[in-house]
Amino acid sequence: MRIARFSLNESPRYAFVQEDQSDGKDYLVELDGYPLGPGTVKPTGKRYALDAEGVRLLAPVIPSKVFGLAKNYEAHAQFMHEAGHSEVAHAPEDMWIFTKPSTSVIGLDDPIVIPPYSHDMNFEPEVAVVMGRIAKNVTENEAMDYVLGFTCVNDVTLRDLQGGDPMWTRAKGFDTSCPLGPWIQTDLNWADAKISFTLNGEDVPEASGTTAGLIHSIPQQIAAISSFSTLLPGDVILTGTPNASGHLDPGDEAVVHVEGIGSLRNIVVRG
């Protein structure tokens, strides 16, 4: 199931995304209710084509908090070392966890804005986990029971600030640094989800990978984070970028692809 958040020239709404077998097109089936809450959710009877005039997909969720895992793939840790961004040649044994504020979140086709104080913005394509239930001190075995679904994310990073920003607050938490979308996919082979990236229509093979290469698995991440911070419905975990990252310039089209979810497209602009 795909759950989308959208607007139609007014306030945000939620919908299921369903394919109409008669024409092969995707439609938004509007919902009455909040799919991340305890109440009943049911269709309103209204539906809209994804490409209908005035329909705009929004970030599928506005989380109370976003957690991310750094260097959670060995290939990315080695890339960071070889590129001169890290003195450590391999991934750390323990999890490196950082946060992004809710104000960093944007959606499909929203602009990624390079702050005026940065000159080296990087893309990092990843799978994001969206929590569906309150989770505190959950075990690895039960962790996935608390997940609503998954979405694409671009963990945009200001690489030139990261080295002098030990908490990565500006480097990873600036406005527009967390594009999410296009929707929440509830059914996904999360243990082996294929990630890829295209820049200006060209595939970037060195940025691709699969969650099968995660050092700390998704259940391990949920268990570890919930041990110190209560995860609320709609909270998001960025699971890590699988391989190389790369530079973004104004005018670039950045597209994150996750097999089984879809594609997240954003254009880069200078602030």
Side-chain angles (χ1 to χ4, degrees):
M1 180 186 299
R2 293 174 288 173
I3 302 171
R5 181 169 165 265
F6 76 103
S7 66
L8 185 63
N9 300 321
E10 52 186 78
S11 60
R13 322 173 191 190
Y14 279 92
F16 294 137
V17 183
Q18 294 182 344
E19 181 182 354
D20 190 321
Q21 298 298 324
S22 65
D23 61 11
K25 294 176 62 176
D26 282 332
Y27 288 84
L28 295 166
V29 180
E30 185 179 275
L31 298 176
D32 179 15
Y34 180 55
L36 280 79
T40 302
V41 177
K42 59 183 180 180
T44 64
K46 300 177 182 178
R47 77 169 196 170
Y48 311 93
L50 272 179
D51 58 358
E53 184 177 353
V55 170
R56 178 186 171 214
L57 287 182
L58 306 173
V61 67
I62 299 298
S64 74
K65 49 192 172 292
V66 178
F67 288 102
L69 269 287
K71 297 184 180 180
N72 200 24
Y73 291 82
E74 177 63 19
H76 181 63
Q78 292 181 8
F79 162 79
M80 291 291 286
H81 176 68
E82 293 168 1
H85 300 306
S86 173
E87 296 181 357
V88 181
H90 298 285
E93 183 176 344
D94 296 326
M95 294 186 197
W96 283 14
I97 302 172
F98 61 90
T99 64
K100 288 178 181 265
S102 60
T103 48
S104 68
V105 173
I106 58 173
L108 178 75
D109 292 330
D110 289 337
I112 301 170
V113 182
I114 305 174
Y117 49 81
S118 175
H119 300 281
D120 188 14
M121 174 185 278
N122 279 212
F123 59 79
E124 293 190 8
E126 306 183 14
V127 172
V129 177
V130 181
M131 304 303 296
R133 296 167 54 195
I134 297 175
K136 178 61 178 176
N137 290 326
V138 303
T139 67
E140 289 180 33
N141 288 338
E142 64 185 355
M144 300 311 294
D145 295 337
Y146 292 80
V147 172
L148 173 65
F150 309 85
T151 193
C152 304
V153 63
N154 192 343
D155 175 20
V156 185
T157 303
L158 305 178
R159 200 68 77 199
D160 53 348
L161 271 67
Q162 192 171 14
D165 184 7
M167 298 300 168
W168 298 351
T169 304
R170 288 185 302 159
K172 284 184 175 287
F174 64 96
D175 289 352
T176 76
S177 66
C178 192
L180 295 173
W183 40 62
I184 300 168
Q185 175 67 54
T186 60
D187 304 308
L188 182 72
N189 180 12
W190 51 266
D192 188 17
K194 308 297 190 301
I195 304 165
S196 59
F197 183 80
T198 57
L199 181 62
N200 300 324
E202 298 292 331
D203 183 46
V204 184
E206 60 270 24
S208 64
T210 166
T211 54
L214 283 168
I215 295 171
H216 304 287
S217 70
I218 291 173
Q220 289 172 337
Q221 295 177 47
I222 295 170
I225 293 170
S226 74
S227 72
F228 67 83
S229 179
T230 301
L231 291 166
L232 302 179
D235 282 351
V236 171
I237 299 174
L238 316 184
T239 57
T241 195
N243 208 321
S245 61
H247 181 76
L248 291 171
D249 286 311
D252 281 348
E253 179 193 55
V255 185
V256 176
H257 311 273
V258 178
E259 186 178 291
I261 299 178
S263 299
L264 169 65
R265 173 187 179 272
N266 300 93
I267 300 295
V268 179
V269 301
R270 169 65 71 176

